[in-house]
Amino acid sequence: MKHIIICFLILSSFLGFSQDIPSSFSLQEAIDYALENNRTAKNAERDITAAKKQKWETTATGLPQLDASINYQNFLKQQVSVVPAEFFGGNPGEFAEVIFGTKQNAVATATLNQLLFDGSYLVGLQSAKVFLEISENAKVKTDLEVRKAVINAYGNVLLAEESIAILKRNIEVLKKNLYETTKIYENGLGEEESVEQLQITLSNVESNLKNTERLKDIAYQMLNITLGIEFNSTIQLTDTLETLTVQNISLEALENDSNVEATIDYKIAANDKRSKELLLKLEKSKALPTLSAFLNGGYNSFSDDFVFLDSNNRWFGFSAVGVNLNLPIFSSGKRSAATQRAKINLEKSTDLLTETEQRLNLQIETAKSNYRFAVEDYANKKQNLALAERIEQKNQTKFFEGVGSSFELRQAQTQLYSAQQEFLQTMLDVINSKAELETITNQTSKF
């Protein structure tokens, strides 16, 4: 009975865990789920938490620090000292051997330290704030990349699904054509070449179908990994490729003014420059004096025997207060070299920020151009598909009426199949190019 209960609890916990994973996703649901469960996104969130802890760690350095210590000593052999014997009534010029102190002693001390001034501490406080901003910007960058990865993976699954559906319909039509052509040939009204042409076409389409089905499995696994779930999990997608394509055809995104400084890559580069400025200030602050104060107090006890835990043992109290001032005077050029190195790194970071700004302007214009082309190409390929369908239908009619050749029919079918795949690809290109533009400009939209 005990084993049954344990198994039931394990099964219940497993089922409860499984129920946390939705069985179906729209694209927006997939994005929202990945932002919470994608492993890279979760680590970016942990980095922010760690940065907050580090910020407090730096802040606490300048706050009061209280330490306590207990020291116990037992001299296995006490040190012997010599003093003039005449101190004890001896002869002048002779020395007497004496032992100062007791064989055992114990000291308990508590010390309160307070930093009064330290230039590096002030810079450290500023650096901790910048480090937190860097972690937060890294989180935003990670979320943008995760969002784009989900869109790409989701689109690849839909592309595979649509391709499989089209290939199956094509196979169904080809099998019907092959059956009718074979009957015509067997009745002596057609040529064997016509049958062979259709067999070649059917074989190629069937091979493409098998490969696409394998790619579909891989696409689902990639989507699962991006979502942050078990890669072999079974999920269903509720959006269609055509629906998402229509939703993403919006040229308003091309008309928006691109503010490079609002992009996350620019903010990250600006953070880097700010950090280099603080490192330069840190090196300069090392030439300033540091001032701290302390207050301590404690008790000590002495004895030849271990009696420190006895209630009647006598302890002697002591306390002190003071300040410590450290003045850097000469470092043989070490501080100067470190300061010059920090200046060089700042100059590099300044140039990198300028380079990032120019590169982002180029990337935004390129992304806009790619998105515009994807939208235009989608409309073009849609028209081409309609034309290819009519051409294939005409050649099929001409073939079965005996006025068209099998070669012309196969050529029209091949053109149709190519147009079908190109049309599907343009739909995916519209979705992905829009996602790329939104990722670069940090202007995301809902689906």
Side-chain angles (χ1 to χ4, degrees), residues 72 74 104 106 303-310:
Y72 164 73
N74 186 340
Q104 302 184 46
S303 177
D304 287 327
D305 300 313
F306 190 86
V307 294
F308 305 112
L309 300 180
D310 295 347

Side-chain angles (χ1 to χ4, degrees), residues 353-371:
L353 180 61
T354 304
E355 176 74 16
T356 299
E357 181 178 5
Q358 296 177 354
R359 176 174 51 81
L360 284 170
N361 279 317
L362 177 60
Q363 287 181 345
I364 291 173
E365 292 304 317
T366 302
K368 286 184 176 181
S369 176
N370 291 339
Y371 176 58

Side-chain angles (χ1 to χ4, degrees), residues 138-189:
K139 170 61 174 172
V140 174
K141 175 71 171 178
T142 299
D143 287 349
L144 287 171
E145 293 297 333
V146 168
R147 178 182 182 272
K148 184 175 74 170
V150 171
I151 294 173
N152 293 341
Y154 197 101
N156 286 333
V157 172
L158 294 180
L159 176 64
E161 294 280 13
E162 292 285 350
S163 297
I164 289 173
I166 290 175
L167 289 171
K168 286 182 177 179
R169 290 197 298 268
N170 292 341
I171 289 174
E172 184 179 349
V173 173
L174 282 171
K175 285 183 176 180
K176 180 181 178 182
N177 291 344
L178 179 60
Y179 174 78
E180 294 175 354
T181 305
T182 302
K183 290 299 181 182
I184 293 174
Y185 168 69
E186 291 175 350
N187 291 328
L189 300 177

Side-chain angles (χ1 to χ4, degrees), residues 147-384:
R147 178 182 182 272
K148 184 175 74 170
V150 171
I151 294 173
N152 293 341
Y154 197 101
N156 286 333
V157 172
L158 294 180
L159 176 64
E161 294 280 13
E162 292 285 350
S163 297
I164 289 173
I166 290 175
L167 289 171
K168 286 182 177 179
R169 290 197 298 268
N170 292 341
I171 289 174
E172 184 179 349
V173 173
L174 282 171
K175 285 183 176 180
K176 180 181 178 182
N177 291 344
L178 179 60
Y179 174 78
E180 294 175 354
T181 305
T182 302
K183 290 299 181 182
I184 293 174
Y185 168 69
E186 291 175 350
N187 291 328
L189 300 177
E191 298 180 357
E192 183 180 11
E193 180 183 347
S194 300
V195 177
E196 293 173 341
Q197 290 281 6
L198 287 172
Q199 288 176 336
I200 292 174
T201 304
L202 178 60
S203 176
N204 289 338
V205 176
E206 288 177 336
S207 178
N208 288 337
L209 175 60
K210 293 178 181 178
N211 183 56
T212 305
E213 287 175 337
R214 290 191 294 268
L215 292 177
K216 183 195 72 171
D217 294 336
I218 296 175
Y220 268 109
Q221 292 172 348
M222 178 60 70
L223 177 58
N224 288 339
I225 292 175
T226 307
L227 292 176
I229 62 179
E230 177 62 32
F231 83 107
N232 274 329
S233 298
T234 301
I235 60 175
Q236 293 180 344
L237 308 188
T238 58
D239 283 327
T240 65
L241 194 60
E242 185 174 2
T243 301
L244 293 177
T245 302
V246 174
Q247 289 179 357
N248 278 276
I249 297 179
S250 173
L251 297 181
E252 293 180 359
L254 301 175
E255 299 173 357
N256 295 333
D257 293 332
S258 301
N259 182 11
V260 173
E261 295 184 1
T263 64
I264 193 61
D265 286 335
Y266 183 89
K267 291 180 180 179
I268 291 175
N271 280 146
D272 181 67
K273 178 185 176 184
R274 178 59 178 157
S275 67
K276 296 301 189 298
E277 291 173 346
L278 291 173
L279 287 174
L280 177 59
K281 290 180 64 176
L282 176 63
E283 296 301 334
K284 290 181 177 180
S285 69
K286 292 179 180 179
L288 300 176
T290 59
L291 180 65
S292 62
F294 70 91
L295 171 65
N296 66 18
Y299 291 89
N300 53 25
S301 181
F302 308 93
S303 177
D304 287 327
D305 300 313
F306 190 86
V307 294
F308 305 112
L309 300 180
D310 295 347
S311 59
N312 57 354
N313 181 56
R314 188 175 181 184
W315 290 83
F316 303 93
F318 63 91
S319 64
V321 63
V323 293
N324 293 317
L325 178 64
N326 180 41
L327 297 172
I329 297 177
F330 182 67
S331 65
S332 298
K334 177 182 177 181
R335 288 193 300 273
S336 176
T339 302
Q340 294 302 317
R341 177 171 53 83
K343 285 183 179 179
I344 293 173
N345 288 334
L346 176 58
E347 292 171 356
K348 290 169 59 179
S349 182
T350 302
D351 286 342
L352 180 60
L353 180 61
T354 304
E355 176 74 16
T356 299
E357 181 178 5
Q358 296 177 354
R359 176 174 51 81
L360 284 170
N361 279 317
L362 177 60
Q363 287 181 345
I364 291 173
E365 292 304 317
T366 302
K368 286 184 176 181
S369 176
N370 291 339
Y371 176 58
R372 185 184 296 276
F373 172 76
V375 173
E376 294 171 349
D377 197 39
Y378 166 74
N380 179 49
K381 292 300 190 297
K382 189 174 183 178
Q383 293 178 352
N384 291 347

